[in-house]
Amino acid sequence: GRAWGSEVDFDLSAFHAVVGALKKGLRQLTEASLANVLLRDISLVRLVPPGVMKPVGDEGSSMSGSYMFPSFCPPRACMGIVMKYFLHFEPTDPQNPTGQFEHHARMHFPCCVDPVGDLRVSLD
């Protein structure tokens, strides 16, 4: 792959730093709450489904196995950068704004194989 060859967006970096801190705090709060409940009555562990706290990842990846505690994967900045480009994009051809955006996005983000498709997936 190629290295990032564009300007750094410090607003987006700050946003991701805040989101990362919130996710870490949420993970710690969830773990502490679960530990509190289980320390009061360990028999409740049978109600916790196996793998419910498994981190999101591809099957067969290094993240396989059974997880008792949650894992909140940190966000990637890539889609935030494409989304910001989308929100600031001003089409010059009002008849075909979608096609024009796709063309400009591919030129602006040459390292993305499918920036528009990835953007759609990130919004689901």
Side-chain angles (χ1 to χ4, degrees), residues 90-98 100:
E90 294 182 20
T92 55
D93 180 10
Q95 301 299 323
N96 187 18
T98 305
Q100 192 176 13

Side-chain angles (χ1 to χ4, degrees), residues 65-98:
S66 178
Y67 293 85
M68 187 65 177
F69 292 107
S71 176
F72 300 100
C73 299
R76 296 199 50 198
C78 302
M79 282 301 100
I81 294 167
V82 177
M83 177 57 80
K84 183 173 180 179
Y85 181 77
F86 170 73
L87 292 173
H88 289 276
F89 182 74
E90 294 182 20
T92 55
D93 180 10
Q95 301 299 323
N96 187 18
T98 305

Side-chain angles (χ1 to χ4, degrees), residues 20-110:
L22 288 173
K23 283 189 171 194
K24 183 178 179 181
L26 180 59
R27 177 189 171 109
Q28 291 172 346
L29 179 64
T30 304
E31 289 175 351
S33 299
L34 182 60
N36 181 41
V37 169
L38 294 178
L39 285 172
R40 291 175 188 255
D41 186 0
I42 193 64
S43 67
L44 293 175
V45 75
R46 67 181 171 10
L47 299 176
V48 180
V52 74
M53 302 296 184
K54 182 179 179 179
V56 177
D58 295 332
E59 294 299 321
S61 73
S62 62
M63 291 193 218
S64 62
S66 178
Y67 293 85
M68 187 65 177
F69 292 107
S71 176
F72 300 100
C73 299
R76 296 199 50 198
C78 302
M79 282 301 100
I81 294 167
V82 177
M83 177 57 80
K84 183 173 180 179
Y85 181 77
F86 170 73
L87 292 173
H88 289 276
F89 182 74
E90 294 182 20
T92 55
D93 180 10
Q95 301 299 323
N96 187 18
T98 305
Q100 192 176 13
F101 174 74
E102 286 187 37
H103 174 72
H104 283 268
R106 287 184 188 279
M107 286 181 10
H108 196 77
F109 302 105

